[in-house]
CSV table of all heavy atoms in Angstrom, one decimal:
chain,number,residue,atom,x,y,z
A,44,GLY,N,-0.9,6.6,-4.1
A,44,GLY,CA,-0.6,6.9,-2.7
A,44,GLY,C,0.4,6.0,-2.1
A,44,GLY,O,1.3,6.4,-1.4
A,45,VAL,N,0.3,4.7,-2.4
A,45,VAL,CA,1.3,3.7,-1.9
A,45,VAL,C,2.6,4.0,-2.5
A,45,VAL,O,3.7,4.0,-1.8
A,45,VAL,CB,0.9,2.3,-2.3
A,45,VAL,CG1,2.0,1.3,-1.8
A,45,VAL,CG2,-0.4,1.9,-1.6
A,48,ALA,N,4.4,7.0,-1.0
A,48,ALA,CA,5.0,6.7,0.3
A,48,ALA,C,6.3,6.0,0.1
A,48,ALA,O,7.3,6.3,0.8
A,48,ALA,CB,4.1,5.9,1.2
A,52,TYR,N,10.0,7.5,1.2
A,52,TYR,CA,11.0,6.8,2.1
A,52,TYR,C,12.3,6.5,1.3
A,52,TYR,O,13.3,6.5,2.0
A,52,TYR,CB,10.3,5.4,2.5
A,52,TYR,CG,9.5,5.6,3.8
A,52,TYR,CD1,8.5,4.7,4.1
A,52,TYR,CD2,9.9,6.6,4.7
A,52,TYR,CE1,7.7,4.8,5.3
A,52,TYR,CE2,9.1,6.7,5.9
A,52,TYR,CZ,8.1,5.8,6.2
A,52,TYR,OH,7.3,5.9,7.3
A,77,VAL,N,1.0,0.5,15.6
A,77,VAL,CA,0.1,1.5,15.0
A,77,VAL,C,-0.3,1.0,13.6
A,77,VAL,O,-1.5,1.0,13.3
A,77,VAL,CB,0.8,2.8,14.8
A,77,VAL,CG1,0.0,3.8,13.9
A,77,VAL,CG2,1.0,3.5,16.2
A,78,SER,N,0.6,0.4,12.9
A,78,SER,CA,0.3,-0.1,11.6
A,78,SER,C,-0.7,-1.3,11.7
A,78,SER,O,-1.7,-1.3,10.9
A,78,SER,CB,1.5,-0.6,10.8
A,78,SER,OG,1.2,-1.1,9.6
A,81,VAL,N,-4.2,0.1,12.5
A,81,VAL,CA,-4.8,0.7,11.3
A,81,VAL,C,-5.4,-0.4,10.4
A,81,VAL,O,-6.5,-0.3,9.9
A,81,VAL,CB,-3.8,1.5,10.5
A,81,VAL,CG1,-4.4,1.9,9.2
A,81,VAL,CG2,-3.4,2.8,11.3
A,112,ARG,N,-9.5,10.8,-1.5
A,112,ARG,CA,-9.6,10.2,-0.2
A,112,ARG,C,-8.8,8.8,-0.3
A,112,ARG,O,-8.1,8.5,0.7
A,112,ARG,CB,-11.0,10.0,0.2
A,112,ARG,CG,-11.1,9.4,1.6
A,112,ARG,CD,-12.6,9.3,2.0
A,112,ARG,NE,-12.8,8.6,3.3
A,112,ARG,CZ,-13.9,8.3,3.8
A,112,ARG,NH1,-15.0,8.6,3.2
A,112,ARG,NH2,-14.0,7.7,5.0
A,113,ALA,N,-9.0,8.1,-1.4
A,113,ALA,CA,-8.3,6.8,-1.5
A,113,ALA,C,-6.8,7.1,-1.5
A,113,ALA,O,-6.0,6.3,-0.9
A,113,ALA,CB,-8.7,6.1,-2.8
A,114,TYR,N,-6.3,8.1,-2.2
A,114,TYR,CA,-4.9,8.4,-2.3
A,114,TYR,C,-4.3,8.7,-0.9
A,114,TYR,O,-3.3,8.1,-0.4
A,114,TYR,CB,-4.7,9.6,-3.2
A,114,TYR,CG,-3.2,10.2,-3.2
A,114,TYR,CD1,-2.3,9.6,-4.0
A,114,TYR,CD2,-2.9,11.2,-2.3
A,114,TYR,CE1,-1.0,10.1,-4.0
A,114,TYR,CE2,-1.6,11.7,-2.3
A,114,TYR,CZ,-0.6,11.1,-3.1
A,114,TYR,OH,0.7,11.6,-3.1
A,115,VAL,N,-5.0,9.6,-0.1
A,115,VAL,CA,-4.6,10.0,1.2
A,115,VAL,C,-4.6,8.8,2.1
A,115,VAL,O,-3.7,8.6,2.9
A,115,VAL,CB,-5.4,11.1,1.7
A,115,VAL,CG1,-5.1,11.4,3.2
A,115,VAL,CG2,-5.3,12.4,0.9
A,116,SER,N,-5.6,8.0,2.1
A,116,SER,CA,-5.7,6.8,3.0
A,116,SER,C,-4.6,5.8,2.8
A,116,SER,O,-3.9,5.4,3.7
A,116,SER,CB,-7.1,6.1,2.7
A,116,SER,OG,-8.1,6.9,3.0
A,117,LEU,N,-4.3,5.5,1.5
A,117,LEU,CA,-3.2,4.5,1.2
A,117,LEU,C,-1.9,5.1,1.5
A,117,LEU,O,-0.9,4.4,1.9
A,117,LEU,CB,-3.3,4.0,-0.2
A,117,LEU,CG,-4.2,2.7,-0.4
A,117,LEU,CD1,-3.5,1.5,0.3
A,117,LEU,CD2,-5.6,2.9,0.2
A,118,LEU,N,-1.7,6.4,1.3
A,118,LEU,CA,-0.5,7.1,1.6
A,118,LEU,C,-0.2,7.0,3.1
A,118,LEU,O,0.9,6.6,3.5
A,118,LEU,CB,-0.5,8.6,1.2
A,118,LEU,CG,0.6,9.5,1.6
A,118,LEU,CD1,1.9,9.0,0.9
A,118,LEU,CD2,0.3,10.9,1.2
A,119,GLY,N,-1.2,7.3,3.9
A,119,GLY,CA,-1.0,7.3,5.3
A,119,GLY,C,-0.7,5.8,5.9
A,119,GLY,O,0.1,5.6,6.7
A,120,ILE,N,-1.5,4.8,5.3
A,120,ILE,CA,-1.2,3.5,5.7
A,120,ILE,C,0.2,3.0,5.5
A,120,ILE,O,0.8,2.4,6.3
A,120,ILE,CB,-2.2,2.5,5.0
A,120,ILE,CG1,-3.7,2.8,5.5
A,120,ILE,CG2,-1.9,1.1,5.3
A,120,ILE,CD1,-4.7,2.1,4.6
A,121,THR,N,0.7,3.4,4.3
A,121,THR,CA,2.0,2.9,3.9
A,121,THR,C,3.1,3.7,4.7
A,121,THR,O,4.1,3.1,5.0
A,121,THR,CB,2.3,3.1,2.4
A,121,THR,OG1,1.1,2.6,1.7
A,121,THR,CG2,3.5,2.5,1.9
A,122,LEU,N,2.8,4.9,5.0
A,122,LEU,CA,3.8,5.8,5.7
A,122,LEU,C,4.1,5.2,7.2
A,122,LEU,O,5.1,5.5,7.7
A,122,LEU,CB,3.4,7.2,5.8
A,122,LEU,CG,3.6,8.0,4.5
A,122,LEU,CD1,3.1,9.4,4.6
A,122,LEU,CD2,5.1,8.1,4.1
A,123,VAL,N,3.1,4.6,7.8
A,123,VAL,CA,3.3,4.1,9.1
A,123,VAL,C,4.0,2.8,9.2
A,123,VAL,O,4.1,2.2,10.2
A,123,VAL,CB,1.9,4.0,9.9
A,123,VAL,CG1,1.2,5.4,10.0
A,123,VAL,CG2,1.0,3.0,9.2
A,124,ASN,N,4.4,2.3,8.0
A,124,ASN,CA,5.1,1.0,8.0
A,124,ASN,C,6.6,1.2,8.1
A,124,ASN,O,7.2,1.7,7.1
A,124,ASN,CB,4.8,0.3,6.7
A,124,ASN,CG,5.5,-1.1,6.6
A,124,ASN,OD1,6.1,-1.6,7.6
A,124,ASN,ND2,5.4,-1.7,5.5
Side-chain angles (χ1 to χ4, degrees):
V45 178
Y52 273 153
V77 169
S78 180
V81 170
R112 184 178 174 186
Y114 173 85
V115 173
S116 297
L117 270 293
L118 173 64
I120 293 169
T121 311
L122 283 177
V123 299
N124 183 9

